[in-house]
Amino acid sequence: MKSTSDLFNEMIPLGRLIHMVNQHKDRLLNTYLSPLDITSTQFKVLCSIYCEVCITPVELKKVLSVDLGALTRMLDRLLCKGWIERLPNPNDKRGVLVRLTPAGKNLCEKCHSLVGQDLHQELTKNLTADEVDTLHYLLKKVLP
């Protein structure tokens, strides 16, 4: 009998490839970011906050498609590192808003300049410029 993952891979081979490419991208990103003591997952959270300036954890959960409990633990770690701060939400007395501290903003900008074009080039090194354009076009078409 086949395992669940084998069955899934047969049913949705494109999904498996996309997942594998995403894992490869995250491994590369972790390698690039390790000198700054930040993981790819932490970087994604910081970038999402950076783009929104100030955001609720529930909104952040939706943007990142992650479990709220896991996100809360991640935000606690980022708070301990001094990269984010929690503020009272003026629209919800029980809620909070999350925003980057100046150190978190600075870190995001450092990460962006460190990774920048290098990650893109590493991910696409086996493709021609036309293939990269086609891949970009097709992936955008797959999205809703």
Side-chain angles (χ1 to χ4, degrees):
M1 185 159 146
K2 293 184 180 193
S3 74
T4 305
S5 62
D6 288 339
L7 184 60
F8 176 78
N9 291 340
E10 284 179 16
M11 290 173 53
I12 311 173
L14 182 58
R16 178 68 179 147
L17 283 172
I18 291 170
H19 176 73
M20 290 169 65
V21 169
N22 188 50
Q23 285 182 315
H24 175 60
K25 181 259 310 164
D26 283 348
R27 281 191 299 275
L28 287 172
L29 193 52
N30 279 326
T31 301
Y32 281 99
L33 296 176
S34 65
L36 297 176
D37 190 34
I38 183 171
T39 67
S40 62
T41 306
Q42 292 171 338
F43 179 59
K44 290 175 205 173
V45 173
L46 290 180
C47 285
S48 297
I49 297 169
Y50 185 91
C51 291
E52 296 294 326
V53 180
C54 214
I55 189 169
T56 69
V58 172
E59 292 167 334
L60 194 54
K61 168 197 170 302
K62 290 176 187 171
V63 168
L64 295 167
S65 299
V66 296
D67 173 74
L68 189 56
L71 178 63
T72 300
R73 290 186 296 278
M74 171 66 71
L75 293 175
D76 289 343
R77 284 190 293 278
L78 297 175
L79 184 71
C80 286
K81 289 187 172 198
W83 296 336
I84 66 163
E85 60 186 345
R86 288 185 173 116
L87 308 165
N89 186 342
N91 301 321
D92 179 359
K93 292 185 184 202
R94 295 178 299 163
V96 296
L97 295 172
V98 181
R99 79 172 171 203
L100 297 180
T101 62
K105 193 175 205 178
N106 184 40
L107 178 66
C108 260
E109 291 164 358
K110 269 187 188 174
C111 290
H112 185 267
S113 64
L114 179 66
V115 174
Q117 195 65 16
D118 292 346
L119 181 63
H120 174 79
Q121 288 175 344
E122 181 66 27
L123 281 171
T124 60
K125 68 182 177 188
N126 296 324
L127 302 175
T128 66
D130 286 343
E131 288 171 331
V132 171
D133 291 342
T134 300
L135 178 62
H136 188 263
Y137 169 77
L138 293 173
L139 288 173
K140 281 177 62 177
K141 249 183 124 168
V142 170
L143 294 172

